[in-house]
């Protein structure tokens, strides 16, 4: 299994296809939530993923909201309960810190996953809201300044 961190222009056609395939499998099919997953944000994102034999096993993207704030989204694992999600989040946060140097990282987490993100220091900063019929909360992580 290999960890990859790439900007959009660096992705191969196969990597992009596999990323979009797994995002559709999880967010559209598994969660039964028809929505337009492919958006212009991908062009400006840092794509972070674990891949094995050409299959994307875990993925997230990060993009700048402002000079000091990055948003993480589309966080997924192909196989749940393996610990790979935590590994991806930890490695992804380190990459975002190094390559994007934000003061804050925001995420809109599905409510059931808020504890997962809080283990890495995120804290809830909003009331619960519905996104595509699924309960979410906004969470923020303040990066430590060295």
């Amino acid at each position: 299994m290999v960890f990859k961190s790439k900007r959009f222009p660096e992705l191969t056609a196969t990597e992009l296809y596999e990323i979009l395939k797994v995002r559709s499998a999880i967010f559209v099919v598994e969660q039964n939530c028809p929505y337009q997953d492919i958006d212009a944000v991908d062009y400006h994102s840092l794509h972070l993923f674990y891949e094995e034999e050409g299959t994307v096993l875990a993925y997230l993207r990060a993009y700048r909201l402002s000079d000091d704030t990055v948003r993480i989204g589309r966080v997924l694992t192909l196989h749940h309960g393996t610990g790979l999600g935590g590994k991806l989040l930890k490695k992804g946060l380190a990459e975002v810190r190094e390559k994007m140097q934000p003061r804050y990282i925001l995420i809109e987490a599905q409510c059931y996953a808020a504890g997962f993100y809080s283990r890495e220091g995120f804290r809830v900063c909003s009331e619960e809201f519905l996104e595509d019929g699924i309960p979410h909360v906004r969470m923020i992580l303040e990066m430590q300044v060295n």
Side-chain angles (χ1 to χ4, degrees):
M1 184 170 53
V2 176
F3 177 79
K4 295 185 177 183
S5 171
K6 295 185 173 188
R7 299 267 180 205
F8 186 84
E10 299 168 324
L11 293 169
T12 68
T14 301
E15 288 169 336
L16 178 59
Y17 179 86
E18 291 298 320
I19 286 167
L20 297 175
K21 183 171 82 172
V22 74
R23 283 180 11 189
S24 178
I26 299 299
F27 297 121
V28 177
V29 177
E30 181 179 299
Q31 294 182 0
N32 193 26
C33 186
Y35 78 105
Q36 183 61 45
D37 171 56
I38 300 170
D39 58 23
V41 174
D42 284 321
Y43 289 120
H44 310 289
S45 294
L46 181 62
H47 301 268
L48 308 151
F49 55 102
Y50 278 101
E51 180 184 78
E52 186 172 70
E53 297 179 8
T55 299
V56 173
L57 300 177
Y59 170 85
L60 66 80
R61 72 177 182 183
Y63 57 95
R64 196 164 293 287
L65 285 177
S66 67
D67 288 343
D68 66 352
T69 305
V70 165
R71 181 166 173 184
I72 288 178
R74 304 293 202 267
V75 182
L76 67 85
T77 56
L78 187 57
H79 306 290
H80 309 301
T82 65
L84 187 55
K87 186 175 177 178
L88 172 71
L89 185 60
K90 188 176 288 292
K91 181 75 170 168
L93 290 174
E95 284 286 305
V96 167
R97 180 187 319 247
E98 178 185 325
K99 292 184 175 179
M100 302 175 85
Q101 301 176 343
R103 172 118 172 109
Y104 304 99
I105 298 178
L106 293 176
I107 190 164
E108 290 186 351
Q110 293 183 14
C111 287
Y112 81 87
F116 169 76
Y117 295 107
S118 68
R119 287 193 292 272
E120 291 302 325
F122 283 88
R123 63 178 175 76
V124 174
C125 62
S126 78
E127 298 294 320
E128 185 177 305
F129 62 95
L130 290 179
E131 179 81 23
D132 297 316
I134 300 170
H136 283 70
V137 289
R138 286 183 188 86
M139 300 182 79
I140 189 166
L141 174 64
E142 186 169 356
M143 305 302 283
Q144 302 217 347
V145 179
N146 294 330

